[in-house]
Amino acid sequence: STTNDSLMARRQAAVAGGVGQIHPVFTARAENATVWDVEGREFIDFAGGIAVLNTGHLHPKVKAAVAAQLEDFSHTCFMVLGYESYIQVCEKLNQLVPGDFAKKTALFTSGSEAVENAVKVARAYTKRAGVIAFTSGYHGRTMAALALTGKVAPYSKGMGLMSANVFRAEFPCALHGVSDDDAMASIERIFKNDAEPSDIAAIILEPVQGEGGFYAASPAFMQRLRALCDREGIMLIADEVQTGAGRTGTFFAMEQMGVSADITTFAKSIAGGFPLSGITGKAEVMDAIGPGGLGGTYGGNPLACAAALAVLEVFEEEKLLERANAIGERIKSALNTMQVEHPQIADVRGLGAMIAIELMEEGKPAPQYCAQILAEARNRGLILLSCGTYGNVLRILVPLTVPDEQLAAGLGILKASFDAVLK
Ligand code: PMP
């Protein structure tokens, strides 16, 4: 019979080495916050397919909506023959994305594609080519997104220099000694040393860095960026691919920042496990590119649009924003208790249910424990993820639909794993 080991051997032989896999586990089935592997083992899923499953695996409503769409048609290409669900998703996002102005939306397939298109729109609208991105930011693996991603290994290692016209500012992170003032000064340095503000089309950032380590920008910092962008005619792009779709306790994290972006990207949990992404922005900005300049064969695929509309209904019906905050509080309080016994748990933080545990020892990042804790937790039936520019952060992206008892069981496994590894 099929085993994880046999599939791993075939994977090694057949799949390109650049495609990583965090856990040596192969999936047979999944439902809400539970995954079963090909050997029949059951796992609690705290990874959620990297922030894609805020409504859980195969939410019955999402499944039913996709099944119904599958009876009608699966593809026409929206650029050839339109369909209402694409328009409905755009209408909904125009409402949900923060910003007190008329908005328009375009749909794509992956987060990287959303980022690429956000930059294209900003370039077309401003007639400028420069972009400022941040240290440890993550924006994707396609070429322009990769140029914006602020971490060489493993993302662009061995591929040569990425495209020019990207300038790197420091992301504010008090825990690692970068203040809001330092971060603002790093932008002023770019203006002094590298490029005039009038050559910068956009400043792109994640309101809470995801892959970089779950570090939140402060509302005050975001407001300073907004003021700078307003002064210099620069587009502010909020990459909400990971923070969006309710993870942080508001539908978009920018709602908690007191200012809005000109262009917002979304993907991941917006369609509950189906590939859908998009950008929403000021109507006049979004219209800067003429017909044919935006799109893609699969962008806004009908199955994915049906899923997204169901996800939005589930958020309302099940009050998942409130649930995100409740879950987040419960997880943080459990972690704070574990912190008492394990001083290596240096920081517990998170907006809503986007929770990080940062491991340090003697004042230094302690990535050596992350892999051990991931393995220990997996052996005990819990799937976790790590992240962080120093690789020393454990992150929790559990479905917001997780039953209370299962959440408690997962946190119990986490505690047992800390007890086993952090002696
Ligand atoms: N932006 C952010 C903030 C992300 O977290 C990710 C994915 N981790 C991306 C962009 C890229 O999305 P995708 O992998 O769907 O291309």
Side-chain angles (χ1 to χ4, degrees):
S1 70
T2 312
T3 62
N4 288 314
D5 282 350
S6 68
L7 286 174
M8 192 49 91
R10 282 167 56 197
R11 182 199 201 285
Q12 235 73 295
V15 179
V19 183
Q21 182 172 326
I22 293 158
H23 295 284
V25 171
F26 290 83
T27 314
R29 196 161 71 79
E31 192 185 305
N32 199 6
T34 309
V35 175
W36 291 268
D37 76 2
V38 290
E39 298 174 10
R41 276 206 68 187
E42 185 178 318
F43 297 92
I44 300 172
D45 186 2
F46 272 20
I50 318 191
V52 171
L53 299 165
N54 291 352
T55 52
H57 289 274
L58 292 180
H59 190 288
K61 287 256 158 93
V62 174
K63 196 172 162 180
V66 173
Q69 179 60 44
L70 211 40
E71 292 298 317
D72 297 337
F73 60 96
S74 70
H75 180 81
T76 60
C77 185
F78 189 75
M79 301 182 302
V80 178
L81 295 173
Y83 37 89
E84 187 178 0
S85 58
Y86 186 114
I87 302 167
Q88 284 174 301
V89 172
C90 295
E91 288 169 346
K92 294 266 188 204
L93 267 299
N94 292 342
Q95 295 282 317
L96 286 167
V97 167
D100 194 12
F101 39 75
K103 286 174 227 128
K104 286 194 171 184
T105 293
L107 300 180
F108 307 99
T109 309
S110 67
S112 301
E113 244 185 307
V115 167
E116 301 258 339
N117 283 284
V119 172
K120 281 162 58 181
V121 167
R123 287 174 60 125
Y125 180 74
T126 60
K127 308 276 185 262
R128 306 171 179 180
V131 182
I132 292 177
F134 288 85
T135 49
S136 302
Y138 185 86
H139 300 289
R141 284 184 175 86
T142 56
M143 288 294 278
L146 186 52
L148 299 168
T149 289
K151 192 177 182 192
V152 171
Y155 303 122
S156 60
K157 193 172 160 60
M159 300 164 216
L161 298 177
M162 289 299 125
S163 71
N165 301 333
V166 172
F167 302 93
R168 190 77 51 196
E170 278 188 289
F171 192 81
C173 178
L175 189 67
H176 294 290
V178 182
S179 68
D180 285 3
D181 283 345
D182 295 335
M184 290 307 295
S186 74
I187 297 176
E188 292 304 331
R189 256 194 324 270
I190 291 169
F191 292 157
K192 188 159 189 251
N193 298 339
D194 304 309
E196 291 185 78
S198 59
D199 280 319
I200 300 299
I203 297 179
I204 184 168
L205 81 166
E206 303 153 89
V208 183
Q209 284 197 331
E211 303 305 313
F214 283 25
Y215 301 110
S218 70
F221 179 70
M222 201 62 88
Q223 288 158 23
R224 289 168 78 176
L225 281 186
R226 179 71 271 175
L228 172 79
C229 287
D230 288 343
R231 194 179 72 225
E232 304 294 354
I234 295 170
M235 297 291 100
L236 183 61
I237 302 174
D239 184 352
E240 294 240 30
V241 165
Q242 189 152 168
T243 50
R247 176 52 50 182
T248 67
T250 47
F251 202 78
F252 286 103
M254 285 297 283
E255 291 170 55
Q256 299 174 53
M257 299 291 173
V259 289
S260 46
D262 299 292
I263 305 169
T264 297
T265 65
F266 57 88
K268 292 194 185 269
S269 276
I270 196 73
F274 292 83
L276 184 76
S277 71
I279 56 176
T280 300
K282 281 192 177 134
E284 60 165 292
V285 175
M286 293 293 292
D287 280 338
I289 294 181
L294 292 176
T297 305
Y298 290 113
N301 170 270
L303 300 173
C305 284
L309 293 172
V311 162
L312 295 175
E313 273 181 39
V314 168
F315 258 88
E316 294 230 335
E317 284 169 13
E318 300 184 17
K319 299 191 167 47
L320 289 186
L321 296 179
E322 284 168 40
R323 178 85 182 139
N325 288 310
I327 284 179
E329 287 312 315
R330 197 164 313 164
I331 297 171
K332 278 191 276 192
S333 98
L335 291 171
N336 286 331
T337 307
M338 299 177 210
Q339 212 175 1
V340 175
E341 282 172 59
H342 298 298
Q344 297 98 329
I345 302 177
D347 195 34
V348 170
R349 60 177 175 270
L351 278 193
M354 189 170 177
I355 308 294
I357 306 154
E358 180 143 1
L359 302 173
M360 314 261 272
E361 200 163 60
E362 291 163 8
K364 293 205 183 71
Q368 64 274 21
Y369 296 124
C370 269
Q372 287 179 55
I373 289 165
L374 253 59
E376 187 71 36
R378 179 178 67 241
N379 291 338
R380 293 167 184 267
L382 175 69
I383 299 298
L384 276 176
L385 288 175
S386 61
C387 65
T389 187
Y390 306 102
N392 66 327
V393 178
L394 298 168
R395 55 176 157 170
I396 298 180
L397 292 163
V398 64
L400 306 176
T401 47
V402 64
D404 287 339
E405 320 76 70
Q406 199 181 16
L407 179 62
L411 291 169
I413 295 177
L414 188 55
K415 179 182 181 326
S417 307
F418 283 140
D419 291 345
V421 173
L422 305 174
K423 286 165 202 103

